Amino acid sequence: MRMVKTMAMWLVLLLIVSISGPLSADEGMFPISELGKIGLAKRGIELKPEEIFNADGTSLVDGICRVNGCTGSFVSADGLIITNHHCAFDAIQKGSTAQRDLLTDGFIAAKRGDEIRAPNYTVRITESYTDVSSEVLSVAKPEMTFLERTKALDRRRKELELAAEKDNPGMRAEVAEMFVGKTYVLFLYTYLKDVRLVFAPPVSIGAFGGELDNWEWPRHTGDFSLMRAYTAPDGKSAEYAPENIPYRPKRFLKVQSAGIDEGDTVFLLGYPGRTVRNRTASFVRYEQNVRLPTIVELYSWQIQEMERAGAKDRSVAIKHATRSKSLANVEKRSRGQLIGLKKADTEVQRLAREADLQAFINSRSAELGKYKDVLPSIGAVYEEMTIRGPLELHLRELRTAPRLLSFAFTLVDAATERAKPDVEREAPYMDRNLSQTTQQLLLDVGDWHGPTDQRMLSGMLQRLKRIPEHEEIEPLSRVIKSGDSIDGIAATLVSKSRLGDPAFVQECLKRSITELKATDDPALQWMIDLYPHFLKLREKEKEREGKLNQLYGDLIEVQQLRESSGFLPDANGTLRLTVGKVEAYSPVDAIVKTPITTVDGLLEKTTGVDPFITPTPVLKAIQEKRYGPFAHPRLGKVPVAFLYSTDTTGGNSGSPVINARGELIGVNFDRTFEATINDFAWDRRYSRSIGVDIRFVLWIISEVYGAKSLTEEMLR
Amino acid sequence: MRMVKTMAMWLVLLLIVSISGPLSADEGMFPISELGKIGLAKRGIELKPEEIFNADGTSLVDGICRVNGCTGSFVSADGLIITNHHCAFDAIQKGSTAQRDLLTDGFIAAKRGDEIRAPNYTVRITESYTDVSSEVLSVAKPEMTFLERTKALDRRRKELELAAEKDNPGMRAEVAEMFVGKTYVLFLYTYLKDVRLVFAPPVSIGAFGGELDNWEWPRHTGDFSLMRAYTAPDGKSAEYAPENIPYRPKRFLKVQSAGIDEGDTVFLLGYPGRTVRNRTASFVRYEQNVRLPTIVELYSWQIQEMERAGAKDRSVAIKHATRSKSLANVEKRSRGQLIGLKKADTEVQRLAREADLQAFINSRSAELGKYKDVLPSIGAVYEEMTIRGPLELHLRELRTAPRLLSFAFTLVDAATERAKPDVEREAPYMDRNLSQTTQQLLLDVGDWHGPTDQRMLSGMLQRLKRIPEHEEIEPLSRVIKSGDSIDGIAATLVSKSRLGDPAFVQECLKRSITELKATDDPALQWMIDLYPHFLKLREKEKEREGKLNQLYGDLIEVQQLRESSGFLPDANGTLRLTVGKVEAYSPVDAIVKTPITTVDGLLEKTTGVDPFITPTPVLKAIQEKRYGPFAHPRLGKVPVAFLYSTDTTGGNSGSPVINARGELIGVNFDRTFEATINDFAWDRRYSRSIGVDIRFVLWIISEVYGAKSLTEEMLR
């Protein structure tokens, strides 16, 4: 592993609490650069920092990968990856038909040749990082408008990425923003594009408890799956090809079937997606009053529509499965966040901290005068977002919920962007991303279902009709104020458009914007009319981003002057480590949730009615106490899931749960309902993550479904 | 206290497990006669049996009373009684108007003269018991029909009661059936008829959590109230009169404000109403398939109707409050029982025990031949009840749910019964009970609300129309098959009847059956037509009772031969003791419910929306941490409720929770949802009772509502 050592400015910012204070709290998604400073031993980890990440040799990190938006671990020398069922869900769904229902029945590849291609899945392994803050920020000039600032920074980041990829052929480069407007790091990844499905339990195991249990503890869900990464026969990254060979990771994780018990230290390595802990009270207010409630309303409605459509026809249900599951996940999380923010009084607490900071600034006006308007200016941005929020959020959903409009937007956007020089394009249309973008578009078109789409379009138009207008969007007003029935308008547009036809979309992908304009498809035509308004929205967002970028940069500066320690960058999809213990918590007075569930609890929850169905082979194995070597020594039964006080967020799905000696003992898949506000704030009292116990995984694969060759590969 | 010592046959039956086995289980509502045998010391109670019940002096039992269907404790020398808010609910409701809403506002009597009469409340204190099994059973002759048998036994019991009351003027006598068809005990009670309300917290405290929290743990309900018993100035029992004086109990309970903690031993004395643990699998089947589901349907519908009516008008809500609360309580308990019976597989377990017993009988046919048909014969009775159940249960509800029909039935029944010699009457119409029966009727008429009644009648007729007929009930068929609209029929009957008018009902109470027949009230007239059918139903029930009485007597005999120990009579409203510990339980895998809640949890649950409203004075006291001397030493806050593994059922409401030294430390008010099946079977793992901590009671009365004179009286 190559490792570019740079004394990065963002490391200076990281004056980790552990150096000065006790290790009472486990908050912290530590960047791998921090391993030497956080006191691994004091936290109960028996590995040295360089055993986790080593600039000059192989280390644990070589066995961790990013699988699309999730995390995975290599668990064999032949590129076998363990991740969540919900991370492989899209591949399982895309491989399913009404005749061959991999969601319902699960999937076992009896031999390598039977493994199923997971279209549009990629795997990355972190290889190195370099601080590029000054390179990025040098392009921002005081005379720039905020929109210009954003565009300049974006362009600079893309240039750095392209240059790094040119220097490192086959690798993927990403410049990540660590502290907004302050620090930027270039990560280099090994990048694999041939990923295949190896094992998936039936969805009744993989998503046992469904949306009712999602974000909840106790849990009895076997949310795991096995995939495998492949390379070209020469070992280089390559697109799918039958002759490809399994990827040989530099390192894979040892699977420890002896498991864990309450009180044990565990840590996770993974790619947490996004947290917003360094944002202001005004941001929290916007989230609480505008964005989250709107999301809850829009998503719960769409989920209902998809469920209604799927209830009548299994093949429709399969088409909607991935999208519906993903919306449901966000919808419930958002509900949890609304409850949690209110309960924790997050806005009020941040206001108090900010009042203190403002007083500090005011008290040193000579020296800190330039920071005096930072907080009010940030507040003004969110205030404007609060006013425009309902309209903007609904406009964005108008080009997402009705899939035809989503396809139309992508086509128009792609045609427009492709006409620009590569580095000036929106990221999805850059040459390095274009094939993935178009592949995803075609996969989505394959899941299109007309009747649902008609209801989505009609529902969005009804909603937009009720929203007070702040500006004239002529192509929209024309439709919703035409006096014609909205249902009728939606029916006509959906029935006349050909964008549900993959061949037609493929054809459109080749056309220039002028050629698209000449097409008589009504969805495309309407989108061409709407497109300038969406562009205006995009520029508006970039302008805000530029403003916030500068303001948050200033805020971090002055906060540093006030409080000298405790800053960690928010999660941003880059590799992080988090440590915790297997431990209980008390969500409310007089209820304690203990940290290990067993197959007896699975039996207890099983009603035979969806989502609490347990397949017969599992029931039989439990009833006959056929536990193999996988029973928990103290409990005498196979453990199912467990709970631990690490600091995680979305993107940590599929992360290995690792014991003090660096062995894999579980796979992370969720948080508790109370921990949905982790994204805003972490709390030792109730922030808990949930993993499936590796003993349950091994038991399901080998004892229940007899795929012993796979567990042998994992335990070799 | 007088104590009639009789070597009772039912005592011989009580070969308590404790004598031979370990004290692992706390099942057992022990009759007070058993105190010497159950090993009080081994169970952690520091009192000697005679300190709890003493034939020759005063003891704890003198401080315990029955308050209507509940239990209470004397907590001062001046007859002050502590019981539940829900036990005093009817008195609080009857004392309320839309102008003076004691339910909403609570009630504090500033001085004795302000205490409010609790109409139709009585208080009993157990004074003695005598086994009268042979006297009762001697009247049963083999040649009798089952109906004759029931009537003969009933008459004999009434004669014994009347004779005992003649010998003990002013006292109340009750012959209780201990083992069905086997053992009968005559209890003598001091019987007080002037009871007054002294203190009631607002219903938002007394029933905090409402039906959502009812039957659930954790709990934050201050379900307590204070009442006071009065006697004539000469100390004799008397009806309410302004010049009456407080009753001077022989003994009152010491209130121990130092409270308890997890692991402590507690015991309860109380009047548990009814359990059915000694019944057969066939009985369980009838309950599970017929009675409980019917109750759930009929009650949940009536509750909805009452809630709908009350939502528009607070004075209507007050009228319905007692009835609605009582139905809701039974409805949720019944739902819990249905779940619990299924989960515990009670029927199957009893079947196994019965199969074993049957095999035992069959294997000794010479000696035990006469028992060979006991189980099948009992099964046949329940089989018949299963077939007739839907009709019978709905017919019974027809004369209960529409209150006009209930009033009409009582009037017709009273007129008919009063024409008979006292000892031959149905119990409510015997001279000793008549005034209470008529008083209750008039109180109920006062709560009548026409529009609700019309919906109840219409709903019952709709239901009866759908039930397959097993026999012609002409007055019913005439109505539901008339072709007229059922709503119209109900509207006419309700609008034309005068039975909602207390004056008219009072007038009717004086009339003979002939005079009633001459009345042109349509509800009365229809009831007069229906009455013979209700009489047939009553005789049918008595016939079954006679049969079961004989069969269960035989069953107990043969069970004794098979299993030599462990028999305890089912609860039957007589005084019992039960012992347990303050302890947690686990309702499902990975959830532990810990046994003490605090005011912090109350705050946590408070939403400001019914039923989770907390009055401002309580919120303020919590926020200001004004705990007075009532904080839990370990938890540092005022405890609210606690959980313990005693064996209780309905009737134990208001029972004192007593520490090992015999001091009152709480007031029992509920069970956990899992413990709703206590009535069928008790289980150490999940059978838990719930009490309000006396520290919360004292804190609410004195610190929050400033009624210090009352807490001084309690702590004197």
Side-chain angles (χ1 to χ4, degrees), chain A residues 217-218 220 588-594 596-598 601 604, chain B residues 217-218 220 588-594 596-598 601 604:
Chain A
W217 180 262
H220 298 83
V588 293
D589 190 21
I591 292 201
V592 172
K593 300 199 169 185
T594 58
I596 300 174
T597 61
T598 72
E604 209 171 70
Chain B
W217 179 262
H220 299 83
V588 294
D589 189 22
I591 292 201
V592 172
K593 299 199 169 185
T594 57
I596 299 175
T597 61
T598 73
E604 208 171 70

Side-chain angles (χ1 to χ4, degrees), chain A residues 101-137:
Chain A
D101 188 340
L102 305 185
L103 278 173
T104 301
D105 303 333
F107 173 72
I108 307 172
K111 51 184 197 304
R112 296 268 160 93
D114 296 342
E115 295 172 6
I116 298 178
R117 184 183 173 190
N120 239 22
Y121 271 70
T122 61
V123 160
R124 309 175 189 205
I125 304 117
T126 298
E127 297 293 347
S128 73
Y129 59 87
T130 323
D131 182 82
V132 292
S133 305
S134 53
E135 286 96 320
V136 172
L137 289 168

Side-chain angles (χ1 to χ4, degrees), chain B residues 158-172:
Chain B
K158 287 176 194 157
E159 286 167 353
L160 289 168
E161 287 167 357
L162 290 175
E165 289 180 5
K166 209 176 154 198
D167 288 349
N168 300 277
M171 286 207 156
R172 179 84 181 174

Side-chain angles (χ1 to χ4, degrees), chain B residues 433-471:
Chain B
N433 297 325
L434 194 59
S435 78
Q436 255 203 295
T437 305
T438 55
Q439 205 183 336
Q440 191 59 51
L441 173 62
L442 291 168
L443 288 169
D444 289 349
V445 171
D447 285 341
W448 184 75
H449 180 62
T452 306
D453 224 36
Q454 192 177 313
R455 295 187 65 88
M456 294 292 179
L457 177 54
S458 168
M460 282 314 307
L461 292 175
Q462 302 281 12
R463 282 171 173 75
L464 278 156
K465 201 171 173 178
R466 288 196 299 265
I467 289 177
E469 266 180 82
H470 300 284
E471 65 204 325

Side-chain angles (χ1 to χ4, degrees), chain B residues 365-441:
Chain B
S365 60
E367 174 196 347
L368 303 179
K370 68 164 183 154
Y371 299 112
K372 125 175 122 36
D373 291 332
V374 170
L375 282 166
S377 302
I378 293 177
V381 175
Y382 294 121
E383 193 50 42
E384 193 238 341
M385 284 168 69
T386 295
I387 293 163
R388 291 182 45 93
L391 178 65
E392 291 188 357
L393 291 164
H394 280 82
L395 278 180
R396 204 167 302 142
E397 210 61 23
L398 176 65
R399 68 162 172 81
T400 311
R403 306 303 291 151
L404 285 183
L405 294 187
S406 162
F407 307 155
F409 179 83
T410 305
L411 289 171
V412 176
D413 207 25
T416 312
E417 290 291 308
R418 273 186 293 125
K420 298 179 185 171
D422 193 51
V423 78
E424 281 176 21
R425 296 179 197 161
E426 292 295 309
Y429 311 107
M430 290 175 74
D431 290 338
R432 60 204 281 265
N433 297 325
L434 194 59
S435 78
Q436 255 203 295
T437 305
T438 55
Q439 205 183 336
Q440 191 59 51
L441 173 62

Side-chain angles (χ1 to χ4, degrees), chain A residues 398-540:
Chain A
L398 175 67
R399 67 161 173 80
T400 312
R403 306 304 289 153
L404 284 184
L405 294 187
S406 162
F407 307 155
F409 179 84
T410 306
L411 289 171
V412 176
D413 206 27
T416 311
E417 292 291 307
R418 272 185 297 126
K420 300 179 182 171
D422 193 50
V423 79
E424 282 176 24
R425 297 180 199 161
E426 291 294 309
Y429 312 108
M430 291 175 74
D431 289 339
R432 59 204 281 265
N433 298 324
L434 194 60
S435 78
Q436 255 202 296
T437 305
T438 56
Q439 204 182 337
Q440 192 58 50
L441 173 62
L442 291 168
L443 287 169
D444 290 347
V445 172
D447 286 340
W448 184 75
H449 180 61
T452 305
D453 224 35
Q454 193 178 315
R455 296 188 64 89
M456 295 292 178
L457 177 53
S458 169
M460 281 316 305
L461 292 174
Q462 302 281 12
R463 282 171 173 74
L464 278 157
K465 202 171 173 177
R466 288 196 297 267
I467 288 177
E469 264 179 84
H470 301 283
E471 66 204 312
E472 178 75 0
I473 300 172
E474 191 280 328
L476 181 60
S477 312
R478 187 204 316 155
V479 167
I480 58 183
K481 292 183 180 167
S482 66
D484 295 349
S485 120
I486 281 183
D487 282 347
I489 294 166
T492 307
L493 189 134
V494 170
S495 66
K496 298 232 166 114
S497 172
R498 293 173 57 202
L499 290 180
D501 171 7
F504 179 68
V505 172
Q506 192 121 38
E507 184 52 39
C508 286
L509 273 168
K510 296 175 198 149
R511 299 187 190 169
S512 69
I513 189 71
T514 324
E515 288 165 334
L516 284 179
K517 281 181 182 165
T519 313
D520 67 350
D521 189 278
L524 259 178
Q525 284 314 315
W526 196 42
M527 183 51 70
I528 288 167
D529 291 350
L530 282 167
Y531 187 69
H533 299 275
F534 285 122
L535 279 192
K536 252 172 75 182
L537 190 56
R538 185 184 274 165
E539 302 243 304
K540 186 93 206 143

